[in-house]
């Protein structure tokens, strides 16, 4: 059974660099999707391959990111600490969890050998406080450097200080999640942040939801989320809750955006009145792109 990987790089504006990164990541893999966002200054690639070729492609992409992206000059809305900022390996069949963990660890070791410190999070977290990406991203690349140089934060793989231009990389293995953004009509950045604080699990909101509030370049507020179990918390439930939290301020969900792919069950009961921008289920639903994944879950 093939695994997926969803490398996130801190480049979403330079078309030539994005194409070079895509070429590096898609070597010997099937490129299922590429999402690029200039406001976030970030690109997300969805790849599928067997474990060995997938690891080789991720290391090829990590090396390209090292050569092409200078995190010390990065500007964008999305929190980040590295050129290759996040590199999750994804299992579709629960029986492939151990295979995905092994592939993620091998990938992390290889990135560390490039001179880039790597931190495991989620399934690969070395301690409870290291489970969330926010633990490492707090304060951005400059604060990460200070914490590492002060001896308060050691990587799981690679050198003890951030790479001068590539920073550090976060690696995990996980089942599919949904990276899902909701754009508001009305309100402002402060409202988006308040909604995000109440929406995310840590604020007493929906289970498994991480969220931040942002202001896009067009002036519209956005609630950007990761839904860690989109089967238990489908995207329609996220839209509904955002609407409830926005209503007292006279705002409402206007449209949504999906970053990468999503399991089919995540779309159960999704409201037609809040369209997902440029959404084609034949191109964005995992089971339609990889029919074998449906069979694996139906066993």
């Amino acid at each position: 059974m093939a695994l997926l990987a969803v490398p996130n790089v801190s480049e979403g504006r330079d078309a030539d660099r994005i194409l070079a990164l895509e070429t590096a990541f898609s070597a010997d893999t099937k490129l299922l999707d590429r999402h690029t966002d200039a406001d976030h200054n970030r690109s997300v690639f969805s790849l599928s391959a067997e474990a060995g070729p997938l690891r080789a492609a991720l290391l090829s992409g990590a090396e390209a990111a090292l050569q092409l992206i200078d995190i010390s000059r990065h500007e964008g809305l999305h929190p980040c600490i590295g050129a290759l900022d996040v590199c999750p390996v994804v299992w579709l069949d629960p029986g492939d969890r151990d295979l995905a963990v092994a592939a993620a660890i091998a990938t992390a070791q290889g990135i560390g050998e490039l001179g880039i410190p790597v931190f495991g999070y989620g399934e690969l977290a070395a301690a409870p406080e290291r489970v969330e990406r926010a633990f490492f991203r707090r304060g951005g690349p400059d604060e990460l450097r200070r914490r590492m140089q002060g001896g308060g934060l050691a990587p799981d793989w690679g050198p003890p200080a951030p790479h001068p231009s590539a920073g550090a990389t976060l690696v995990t293995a996980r089942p599919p999640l949904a990276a899902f953004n909701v754009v508001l009509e009305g309100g402002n950045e402060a409202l988006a942040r308040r909604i995000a604080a109440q929406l995310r699990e840590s604020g007493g909101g929906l289970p498994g939801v991480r969220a931040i509030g942002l202001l896009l370049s067009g002036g519209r507020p956005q609630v950007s989320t990761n839904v860690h179990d989109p089967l238990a918390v489908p995207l329609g439930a996220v839209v509904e809750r955002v609407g409830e939290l926005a209503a007292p301020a006279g705002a409402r969900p206007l449209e949504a955006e999906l970053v990468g792919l999503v399991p089919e069950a995540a779309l159960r009961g999704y409201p037609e009145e809040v369209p997902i921008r440029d959404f084609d289920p034949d191109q964005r639903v995992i089971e339609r792109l990889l029919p074998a994944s449906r069979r694996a879950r139906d066993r």
Side-chain angles (χ1 to χ4, degrees), residues 80-162:
C80 64
I81 56 170
L84 172 55
D85 188 53
V86 182
C87 190
V89 177
V90 179
W91 70 82
L92 301 176
D93 182 341
D96 289 332
R97 176 191 176 279
D98 290 346
L99 180 64
V101 168
I105 290 173
T107 298
Q109 291 170 335
I111 295 172
E113 291 168 2
L114 295 175
I116 302 167
V118 180
F119 298 96
Y121 73 97
E123 293 272 342
L124 301 189
E129 66 271 15
R130 295 164 75 113
V131 169
E132 300 293 341
R133 286 157 293 179
F135 172 79
F136 303 102
R137 289 173 171 166
R138 185 179 70 243
D142 291 341
E143 177 64 10
L144 178 71
R145 181 174 300 278
R146 187 196 66 76
R147 291 165 72 191
M148 294 184 72
Q149 291 178 340
L153 184 61
D156 298 296
W157 299 273

Side-chain angles (χ1 to χ4, degrees), residues 10-294:
S10 299
E11 176 58 75
R13 298 174 181 173
D14 187 303
D16 291 337
R17 289 180 184 175
I18 294 167
L19 180 58
L21 290 160
E22 177 182 314
T23 300
F25 278 118
S26 59
D28 297 322
T29 69
K30 183 177 182 180
L31 178 67
L32 302 176
D33 184 70
R34 186 193 85 190
H35 180 92
T36 297
D37 189 295
D39 283 334
H40 288 244
N41 200 6
R42 194 172 185 87
S43 294
V44 178
F45 303 93
S46 298
L47 315 171
S48 174
E50 299 296 327
L54 188 64
R55 174 184 176 274
L58 292 174
L59 293 180
S60 173
E63 190 164 6
L66 167 63
Q67 296 169 352
L68 293 170
I69 300 171
D70 186 348
I71 196 65
S72 69
R73 300 181 180 180
H74 181 267
E75 296 179 353
L77 294 177
H78 202 289
C80 64
I81 56 170
L84 172 55
D85 188 53
V86 182
C87 190
V89 177
V90 179
W91 70 82
L92 301 176
D93 182 341
D96 289 332
R97 176 191 176 279
D98 290 346
L99 180 64
V101 168
I105 290 173
T107 298
Q109 291 170 335
I111 295 172
E113 291 168 2
L114 295 175
I116 302 167
V118 180
F119 298 96
Y121 73 97
E123 293 272 342
L124 301 189
E129 66 271 15
R130 295 164 75 113
V131 169
E132 300 293 341
R133 286 157 293 179
F135 172 79
F136 303 102
R137 289 173 171 166
R138 185 179 70 243
D142 291 341
E143 177 64 10
L144 178 71
R145 181 174 300 278
R146 187 196 66 76
R147 291 165 72 191
M148 294 184 72
Q149 291 178 340
L153 184 61
D156 298 296
W157 299 273
H163 187 279
S165 62
T169 297
L170 306 176
V171 173
T172 196
R174 59 167 174 78
L177 59 70
F180 180 66
N181 304 327
V182 181
V183 176
L184 302 178
E185 182 176 56
N188 52 28
E189 183 177 5
L191 175 64
R193 290 182 175 183
R194 287 199 303 271
I195 291 172
Q198 294 175 275
L199 181 68
R200 54 182 173 251
E201 181 179 21
S202 63
L206 298 176
V209 172
R210 309 327 187 234
I212 57 175
L214 307 165
L215 187 67
L216 302 178
S217 58
R220 279 185 169 150
Q222 180 190 82
V223 180
S224 177
T225 80
N226 277 171
V227 184
H228 280 222
D229 187 352
L231 280 64
V233 181
L235 302 186
V238 176
V239 171
E240 180 181 5
R241 185 58 180 147
V242 170
E244 292 170 351
L245 295 169
R252 69 176 185 90
L254 176 66
E255 66 174 1
E257 176 184 45
L258 186 65
V259 179
L261 308 179
V262 70
E264 195 160 24
L267 300 169
R268 183 178 65 249
Y270 188 84
E272 294 182 1
E273 64 270 19
V274 184
I276 302 175
R277 186 191 315 152
D278 300 326
F279 179 70
D280 179 350
D282 289 335
Q283 299 299 318
R284 309 296 294 281
V285 172
I286 292 172
E287 291 89 342
R288 300 194 189 191
L289 289 166
L290 299 171
S293 67
R294 183 194 301 273

